[in-house]
Amino acid sequence: MEYFNHLEELDAESKYLVHKSKEAAAHAYAPYSKFCVGSALILEDGSIITGANQENASYPLCMCAERVALYTAASLHPEKKILKLAISAHKKNHKDLTSATSCGACRQVMLEFETRQKKPIEVIMLGSDKKWIKAPSVASILPFSFSKVDLDF
Ligand code: ZN
């Protein structure tokens, strides 16, 4: 796990993905929470897929930005591996970023992707202490996870 005080300290690809996730957050549909989140992931061929959170008047049906991006990638490019995923959220002024670490549900979904492709997915996100987190894999941010192995009972 790596931590950075400023976005500029991250590698170029990570910074670019954060930039794309910030752009994606502008497409969030968040009339209820007003919390606009974007996610951007890069595939092994360099393609970038983005997603933004999508809310619903029936609250449990809301979908996080990360899962929108992941499911889009799986639908459009099922054979390509995901190398890295970034998440960012807008402050209410829609200019600056605020912290947004992935929820447990998204980490669980990310782990399924990581397990399926047999290759780690790096995750970039802004922690509540305002430090950028660069996780080397989904497994590193989801200890004691539930997986296919647990279904072999
Ligand atoms: Zn989530």
Side-chain angles (χ1 to χ4, degrees):
M1 199 77 65
E2 292 179 90
Y3 300 94
F4 303 88
N5 288 316
H6 303 286
L7 182 60
E8 293 69 35
E9 296 167 19
L10 284 150
D11 62 280
E13 186 181 75
S14 297
K15 278 190 285 194
Y16 184 64
L17 274 187
V18 170
H19 167 72
K20 296 304 283 182
S21 70
K22 188 180 175 188
E23 278 184 354
H27 303 299
Y29 176 66
Y32 307 106
S33 73
K34 313 268 194 265
F35 193 63
C36 298
V37 185
S39 179
L41 59 84
I42 186 164
L43 301 173
E44 58 189 347
D45 69 348
S47 308
I48 290 176
I49 306 287
T50 61
N53 57 325
Q54 304 296 321
E55 295 185 345
N56 192 283
S58 177
Y59 287 7
L61 303 181
C62 296
M63 183 60 66
C64 300
E66 300 94 304
R67 279 180 281 163
V68 171
L70 288 163
Y71 293 147
T72 300
S75 302
L76 296 176
H77 306 283
E79 74 293 350
K80 293 176 189 159
K81 293 180 181 179
I82 298 165
L83 303 182
K84 189 183 291 191
L85 180 146
I87 303 129
S88 61
H90 287 180
K91 280 190 176 174
K92 286 195 174 120
N93 66 12
H94 292 287
K95 289 178 187 161
D96 303 315
L97 295 179
T98 188
S99 59
T101 52
S102 278
C103 75
C106 285
R107 293 180 201 203
Q108 181 69 37
V109 169
M110 283 183 218
L111 187 75
E112 187 86 18
F113 278 78
E114 185 170 272
T115 304
R116 266 167 75 184
Q117 68 178 27
K118 298 183 178 71
K119 184 175 175 62
I121 300 171
E122 286 187 339
V123 182
I124 314 294
M125 52 194 178
L126 184 60
S128 54
D129 58 0
K130 303 302 173 200
K131 282 186 170 42
W132 285 93
I133 300 160
K134 185 176 177 184
S137 65
V138 178
S140 70
I141 55 171
L142 188 64
F144 312 110
S145 59
F146 184 84
S147 72
K148 189 178 171 183
V149 177
D150 300 300
L151 295 174
D152 292 333
F153 55 91

